[in-house]
Amino acid sequence: MSSIISTCELVKNDYERKSLLNFIFKKLINEFIYFKSESNKMLSGQIKIESSSLNATIGKAFSNLRRQLVANISNLCKQYAADFRDSFNDIYNKLNEMINSPGHDINQLEKSILIQSLVLLSNEFNSFDLQSKFINQYVQPIQEFFALHQSKLSSENMQAFIDFIGLNSNDLDNETTTTTKNQMLSEQLTNRKQIFYYVSILTCVLKSVQAPAKCDPTSNAEEYARLKEGNFIDPVRHTVRNPAYDSFKSIFGYLIEMFKCFNCLHVPKLRDRLRVLYLEM
């Protein structure tokens, strides 16, 4: 499939190339959904394979296929973003449905890569305001999560952080009931998954958004005029603006504080509070 995607650039007729790219995109989506469905059937026992080793092998193969398919979707959007400009609304609706619908049940890595695909396509908006708003829809929930849990994601209160993500060593063993213990473990697992998922999204957005290159109005007046029309030129500093800047500016402090928390876990006096499994990782 990767070689087919690369050869699309050889199709010089715009209509034929766009038609071919849309066909490939739909094919990738359908195959991804199919293999995800088959994986779910295996996990739920709808497909029964007597050999446990064979079952694990097939499950791993399906997982690798899904990962390759979603990577191809991202590569397609990266290489041919301009050709997908007219199809953006349809692609956005389809991918966003997959990302947000529980029925598709895709994992966090796959969701992050699909968001990355959409951000790659947004580079063709040619509008600072539109692209900034588009990026913010993915960053804003992350900012709200960190703001809500700010006291638990602070290097000034490491015990709260350790409890929040479930690295505490003995605290749960002192819980009076199994139900309470299981509930706390579930909440801590959710917190860990949410943090790593959000960091994955932020990484994918930063990797994908393409800020216009610096442009001198005296040497490239036409490009400068285009950027100015798209509102990419800062009205005060008269420099080119990155459409992701405003969204990430509001979250940068939270990220630095969280990274400080993870770094503090290596302090010797905290090691006795941590689970053995974490220390062995």
Side-chain angles (χ1 to χ4, degrees), residues 98-99 106-116 197:
M98 293 171 63
I99 293 166
I106 61 178
N107 64 43
Q108 293 181 342
L109 174 63
E110 292 162 350
K111 288 182 181 181
S112 300
I113 296 176
L114 291 179
I115 290 173
Q116 176 177 302
Y197 174 47

Side-chain angles (χ1 to χ4, degrees), residues 27-259:
K27 182 71 173 175
L28 288 170
I29 290 294
N30 289 336
E31 289 189 358
F32 174 78
I33 293 173
Y34 169 76
F35 282 111
K36 184 60 184 174
S37 174
E38 294 302 297
S39 298
N40 289 341
K41 289 178 183 178
M42 290 184 64
L43 291 172
S44 64
Q46 295 181 43
I47 297 179
K48 296 183 179 180
I49 301 175
E50 294 182 3
S51 170
S52 58
S53 60
L54 180 59
N55 187 66
T57 300
I58 294 176
K60 185 177 181 179
F62 277 11
S63 179
N64 289 336
L65 279 169
R66 293 203 317 271
R67 189 176 295 116
Q68 186 61 50
L69 286 167
V70 80
N72 281 331
I73 291 172
S74 181
N75 289 336
L76 195 69
C77 292
K78 181 178 182 179
Q79 289 182 237
Y80 302 101
D83 288 309
F84 283 118
R85 188 181 297 140
D86 296 336
S87 308
F88 177 80
N89 287 338
D90 292 336
I91 294 174
Y92 171 78
N93 290 335
K94 184 61 181 176
L95 295 189
N96 229 29
E97 177 196 352
M98 293 171 63
I99 293 166
N100 297 316
S101 173
H104 285 293
D105 191 29
I106 61 178
N107 64 43
Q108 293 181 342
L109 174 63
E110 292 162 350
K111 288 182 181 181
S112 300
I113 296 176
L114 291 179
I115 290 173
Q116 176 177 302
S117 302
L118 290 172
V119 175
L120 286 166
L121 294 180
S122 77
N123 290 318
E124 293 297 322
F125 284 178
N126 294 323
S127 167
F128 175 86
D129 298 321
L130 278 178
Q131 192 172 14
S132 296
K133 184 177 179 181
F134 180 80
I135 291 169
N136 194 58
Q137 72 173 303
Y138 297 110
V139 179
Q140 182 65 29
I142 303 175
Q143 190 272 338
E144 292 173 355
F145 173 85
F146 285 127
L148 178 64
H149 300 292
Q150 185 174 7
S151 62
K152 300 171 185 175
L153 298 172
S154 169
S155 58
E156 300 297 322
N157 188 358
M158 284 301 298
Q159 187 58 53
F161 176 72
I162 290 170
D163 294 341
F164 184 66
I165 62 175
L167 298 183
N168 38 343
S169 59
N170 300 315
D171 294 349
L172 290 180
D173 295 332
N174 298 326
E175 292 299 327
T176 55
T177 66
T178 302
T179 302
T180 303
K181 181 178 179 179
N182 290 340
Q183 182 179 353
M184 291 184 67
L185 286 171
S186 177
E187 290 174 356
Q188 291 168 338
L189 175 62
T190 299
N191 295 335
R192 289 199 302 274
K193 291 173 65 176
Q194 202 69 32
I195 288 173
F196 287 113
Y197 174 47
Y198 282 157
V199 171
S200 178
I201 290 176
L202 294 174
T203 302
C204 286
V205 171
L206 282 177
K207 286 169 56 179
S208 305
V209 64
Q210 295 176 2
K214 293 181 180 179
C215 184
D216 186 348
T218 57
S219 60
N220 195 342
E222 184 177 345
E223 176 64 7
Y224 187 86
R226 185 187 71 81
L227 293 176
K228 190 171 183 180
E229 183 180 359
N231 203 25
F232 284 99
I233 305 299
D234 188 295
V236 178
R237 299 180 180 180
H238 304 291
T239 55
V240 177
R241 301 187 291 179
N242 188 318
Y245 175 75
D246 288 338
S247 295
F248 277 81
K249 180 175 67 174
S250 66
I251 205 171
F252 188 73
Y254 295 123
L255 290 174
I256 293 297
E257 191 62 31
M258 186 181 66
F259 295 151

Side-chain angles (χ1 to χ4, degrees), residues 271 274-281:
R271 293 177 67 86
L274 305 180
R275 288 177 175 242
V276 175
L277 287 176
Y278 173 76
L279 295 174
E280 292 176 347
M281 282 171 35

